[in-house]
Amino acid sequence: MLGIRFVKVEPTDFVIQYRRGKVVREGTGLSFFFFAPSTSLVRIPMGSTDVPFIFKEVTADFQEVSVQGQLTYRVADPKKLSELMNFTVSAAGDEYSSEDPEKLPQRLINLTQVLTRATLKSLPLRDALGQSGDLVDSIQRGMQTAGTVESLGIEVLGVSILAIKPVPETSRALEAEAREMILRQADEAIYARRNAAVEQERSIKENELNTEIAVENKKRQIKEAQMEAKKSVQRMEREISEAEMEARISLEQKNADLVELSTANSRKEADSRAYAVAAVMKALSNTNPRILQALMSADMKSGQLVAMAFRDLAESADKIGQLNVTPDLLRELLNSDKS
């Protein structure tokens, strides 16, 4: 209506209002009315933007690779960017009036490709495929020092390399070589495992043999100790037997001395008795036997006297005609002896 428009800008957009070539207002998240015939609006997104890229480059050994990644950036200084590129929007405020906003990501991608080419041309294929991290660091350092990025007021938030791939023929060749290497490593691992198993088995056998040797040595030591103990016991038994034998010999020697002494004493005693008997017999040789009998009968009992009387009767039996001895007489004689 009469050229008056209303615009409302998002908090992530920076807007600059020009009227007759002068800045009327600027800022993020503004909303205002403006007169379209005499007003120009510059709208610059301040939020982060992700720009995917994919391009082909050549490594130091002339092998073609495709690099796929993503660049993340934001507008740090919208005034610088508005001075170098046209971000003017239409009067309706919903679309840009030029193609510069679409060219900005391509400029950054071109710079990324230049930095990538500078890094890959010094790397052989194998190193390039395995050093995506070094490539990212190189690109980020190049972005920070590049005058183009600084002059546009752009801040690069990050660079991600998603894939570095060779051409299919080279990829198959590398896969075959890697496959053969993996198979060779697998074979080496199998051989190493077998060798380790053999070595382990040999070690186990050696340990078993060492254990058996140690057991046999211990048995030999035990047997030697037992034999030594038995020898010691036998030696002690022999010493005890010898001591007992010596004691017996000493005892027998003493017994022999005792017997000899006893025999000598008995001989002397017999000689003494014989001498006494001889002296008595010599003294009695001239004595009347009747006197001797009378002397001997002095201490005899009645029974002994009766026996002597009967003996005398027997000696004089030829002189006795008849002698009657009744049982009563014998009983009386014997009873008188008991009484």
Side-chain angles (χ1 to χ4, degrees), residues 43-45 73 81 85-89 95-106:
R43 187 174 182 177
I44 301 174
Y73 72 94
L81 183 60
M85 300 187 73
N86 185 10
F87 275 79
T88 304
V89 296
E95 60 182 12
Y96 291 103
S97 59
S98 69
E99 296 180 355
D100 286 356
E102 298 177 0
K103 294 179 181 179
L104 177 61
Q106 187 60 42

Short mmCIF file of all heavy atoms in Angstrom, two decimals, residues 43-45 73 81 85-89 95-106:
data_model
loop_
_atom_site.label_atom_id
_atom_site.label_comp_id
_atom_site.label_asym_id
_atom_site.label_seq_id
_atom_site.Cartn_x
_atom_site.Cartn_y
_atom_site.Cartn_z
N ARG A 43 20.41 -8.27 3.50
CA ARG A 43 20.12 -9.31 4.50
C ARG A 43 21.20 -10.39 4.41
O ARG A 43 21.33 -11.08 3.40
CB ARG A 43 18.74 -9.90 4.24
CG ARG A 43 18.26 -10.86 5.30
CD ARG A 43 16.82 -11.26 4.99
NE ARG A 43 16.27 -12.14 5.99
CZ ARG A 43 15.01 -12.59 5.98
NH1 ARG A 43 14.19 -12.20 4.97
NH2 ARG A 43 14.57 -13.38 6.93
N ILE A 44 21.97 -10.52 5.47
CA ILE A 44 23.10 -11.46 5.49
C ILE A 44 22.87 -12.50 6.60
O ILE A 44 22.74 -12.13 7.78
CB ILE A 44 24.43 -10.73 5.74
CG1 ILE A 44 24.65 -9.68 4.63
CG2 ILE A 44 25.59 -11.71 5.81
CD1 ILE A 44 25.86 -8.80 4.86
N PRO A 45 22.82 -13.79 6.26
CA PRO A 45 22.66 -14.83 7.30
C PRO A 45 23.90 -14.89 8.20
O PRO A 45 25.03 -14.94 7.73
CB PRO A 45 22.49 -16.12 6.51
CG PRO A 45 22.12 -15.68 5.13
CD PRO A 45 22.79 -14.37 4.91
N TYR A 73 30.99 -22.78 7.96
CA TYR A 73 31.45 -21.40 8.14
C TYR A 73 30.31 -20.54 8.63
O TYR A 73 29.14 -20.94 8.62
CB TYR A 73 32.01 -20.83 6.82
CG TYR A 73 30.95 -20.54 5.79
CD1 TYR A 73 30.39 -19.25 5.68
CD2 TYR A 73 30.48 -21.53 4.93
CE1 TYR A 73 29.40 -18.98 4.74
CE2 TYR A 73 29.49 -21.26 4.00
CZ TYR A 73 28.95 -19.99 3.91
OH TYR A 73 27.97 -19.72 3.00
N LEU A 81 31.36 -8.21 4.33
CA LEU A 81 30.77 -9.02 3.27
C LEU A 81 29.81 -8.19 2.41
O LEU A 81 29.77 -8.34 1.18
CB LEU A 81 30.03 -10.21 3.89
CG LEU A 81 29.40 -11.20 2.91
CD1 LEU A 81 30.47 -11.82 2.01
CD2 LEU A 81 28.66 -12.30 3.67
N MET A 85 30.14 -8.17 -1.63
CA MET A 85 29.16 -8.98 -2.34
C MET A 85 27.78 -8.41 -2.13
O MET A 85 27.49 -7.79 -1.10
CB MET A 85 29.22 -10.45 -1.86
CG MET A 85 30.58 -11.10 -2.07
SD MET A 85 30.56 -12.87 -1.70
CE MET A 85 29.66 -13.47 -3.12
N ASN A 86 26.92 -8.63 -3.12
CA ASN A 86 25.58 -8.06 -3.11
C ASN A 86 24.61 -9.03 -2.45
O ASN A 86 24.28 -10.08 -3.02
CB ASN A 86 25.14 -7.74 -4.53
CG ASN A 86 23.79 -7.03 -4.57
OD1 ASN A 86 23.26 -6.62 -3.54
ND2 ASN A 86 23.23 -6.89 -5.77
N PHE A 87 24.16 -8.68 -1.23
CA PHE A 87 23.17 -9.48 -0.51
C PHE A 87 21.84 -8.71 -0.40
O PHE A 87 21.09 -8.91 0.55
CB PHE A 87 23.68 -9.83 0.90
CG PHE A 87 24.56 -11.05 0.93
CD1 PHE A 87 25.89 -10.97 0.53
CD2 PHE A 87 24.06 -12.28 1.33
CE1 PHE A 87 26.69 -12.08 0.56
CE2 PHE A 87 24.87 -13.39 1.35
CZ PHE A 87 26.20 -13.31 0.96
N THR A 88 21.57 -7.85 -1.39
CA THR A 88 20.34 -7.07 -1.37
C THR A 88 19.15 -7.98 -1.65
O THR A 88 19.20 -8.86 -2.53
CB THR A 88 20.39 -5.97 -2.43
OG1 THR A 88 21.55 -5.16 -2.20
CG2 THR A 88 19.15 -5.10 -2.37
N VAL A 89 18.08 -7.77 -0.87
CA VAL A 89 16.87 -8.57 -1.04
C VAL A 89 15.83 -7.73 -1.77
O VAL A 89 15.92 -6.49 -1.84
CB VAL A 89 16.32 -9.05 0.32
CG1 VAL A 89 17.31 -9.99 0.98
CG2 VAL A 89 16.01 -7.88 1.22
N GLU A 95 13.60 -12.93 -1.20
CA GLU A 95 14.60 -13.48 -2.12
C GLU A 95 15.62 -12.41 -2.46
O GLU A 95 15.36 -11.20 -2.35
CB GLU A 95 13.93 -13.99 -3.39
CG GLU A 95 13.17 -12.95 -4.17
CD GLU A 95 12.49 -13.51 -5.40
OE1 GLU A 95 12.42 -14.75 -5.52
OE2 GLU A 95 12.06 -12.72 -6.23
N TYR A 96 16.85 -12.93 -2.84
CA TYR A 96 17.93 -12.01 -3.17
C TYR A 96 17.77 -11.53 -4.60
O TYR A 96 17.27 -12.24 -5.48
CB TYR A 96 19.28 -12.69 -2.98
CG TYR A 96 19.62 -12.97 -1.52
CD1 TYR A 96 19.49 -14.25 -0.99
CD2 TYR A 96 20.05 -11.94 -0.71
CE1 TYR A 96 19.79 -14.50 0.34
CE2 TYR A 96 20.35 -12.19 0.62
CZ TYR A 96 20.22 -13.46 1.15
OH TYR A 96 20.51 -13.70 2.46
N SER A 97 18.27 -10.32 -4.81
CA SER A 97 18.18 -9.71 -6.14
C SER A 97 19.38 -10.02 -7.01
O SER A 97 19.43 -9.60 -8.16
CB SER A 97 18.01 -8.18 -6.01
OG SER A 97 19.13 -7.63 -5.31
N SER A 98 20.39 -10.75 -6.47
CA SER A 98 21.57 -11.12 -7.25
C SER A 98 21.95 -12.57 -6.92
O SER A 98 21.37 -13.20 -6.03
CB SER A 98 22.74 -10.18 -6.95
OG SER A 98 23.20 -10.39 -5.63
N GLU A 99 22.96 -13.07 -7.64
CA GLU A 99 23.43 -14.44 -7.42
C GLU A 99 24.64 -14.51 -6.49
O GLU A 99 25.20 -15.59 -6.29
CB GLU A 99 23.78 -15.08 -8.77
CG GLU A 99 22.59 -15.23 -9.70
CD GLU A 99 22.98 -15.87 -11.02
OE1 GLU A 99 24.20 -16.10 -11.22
OE2 GLU A 99 22.09 -16.15 -11.83
N ASP A 100 25.05 -13.38 -5.93
CA ASP A 100 26.23 -13.39 -5.05
C ASP A 100 26.08 -14.31 -3.83
O ASP A 100 27.04 -14.98 -3.43
CB ASP A 100 26.55 -11.97 -4.61
CG ASP A 100 27.19 -11.14 -5.73
OD1 ASP A 100 27.43 -11.73 -6.80
OD2 ASP A 100 27.43 -9.94 -5.53
N PRO A 101 24.90 -14.35 -3.17
CA PRO A 101 24.78 -15.27 -2.03
C PRO A 101 25.05 -16.72 -2.40
O PRO A 101 25.53 -17.51 -1.56
CB PRO A 101 23.34 -15.06 -1.56
CG PRO A 101 23.02 -13.67 -1.98
CD PRO A 101 23.71 -13.49 -3.30
N GLU A 102 24.76 -17.10 -3.65
CA GLU A 102 25.03 -18.47 -4.07
C GLU A 102 26.50 -18.67 -4.45
O GLU A 102 27.00 -19.80 -4.45
CB GLU A 102 24.14 -18.83 -5.26
CG GLU A 102 22.66 -18.78 -4.93
CD GLU A 102 21.80 -19.07 -6.15
OE1 GLU A 102 22.38 -19.30 -7.24
OE2 GLU A 102 20.56 -19.07 -6.02
N LYS A 103 27.20 -17.58 -4.78
CA LYS A 103 28.61 -17.69 -5.17
C LYS A 103 29.53 -17.81 -3.96
O LYS A 103 30.65 -18.30 -4.09
CB LYS A 103 29.01 -16.46 -5.99
CG LYS A 103 28.31 -16.36 -7.34
CD LYS A 103 28.74 -15.11 -8.08
CE LYS A 103 28.03 -14.99 -9.43
NZ LYS A 103 28.43 -13.75 -10.15
N LEU A 104 29.08 -17.31 -2.80
CA LEU A 104 29.95 -17.34 -1.61
C LEU A 104 30.37 -18.76 -1.24
O LEU A 104 31.57 -19.02 -1.05
CB LEU A 104 29.24 -16.65 -0.44
CG LEU A 104 30.02 -16.66 0.88
CD1 LEU A 104 31.35 -15.94 0.73
CD2 LEU A 104 29.18 -16.01 1.99
N PRO A 105 29.46 -19.74 -1.14
CA PRO A 105 29.91 -21.11 -0.82
C PRO A 105 30.87 -21.67 -1.86
O PRO A 105 31.82 -22.37 -1.51
CB PRO A 105 28.61 -21.91 -0.76
CG PRO A 105 27.56 -20.91 -0.46
CD PRO A 105 27.99 -19.65 -1.17
N GLN A 106 30.63 -21.32 -3.15
CA GLN A 106 31.52 -21.85 -4.19
C GLN A 106 32.92 -21.28 -4.06
O GLN A 106 33.91 -21.97 -4.31
CB GLN A 106 30.93 -21.53 -5.57
CG GLN A 106 31.68 -22.19 -6.71
CD GLN A 106 31.69 -23.71 -6.61
OE1 GLN A 106 30.66 -24.30 -6.27
NE2 GLN A 106 32.83 -24.32 -6.88
#
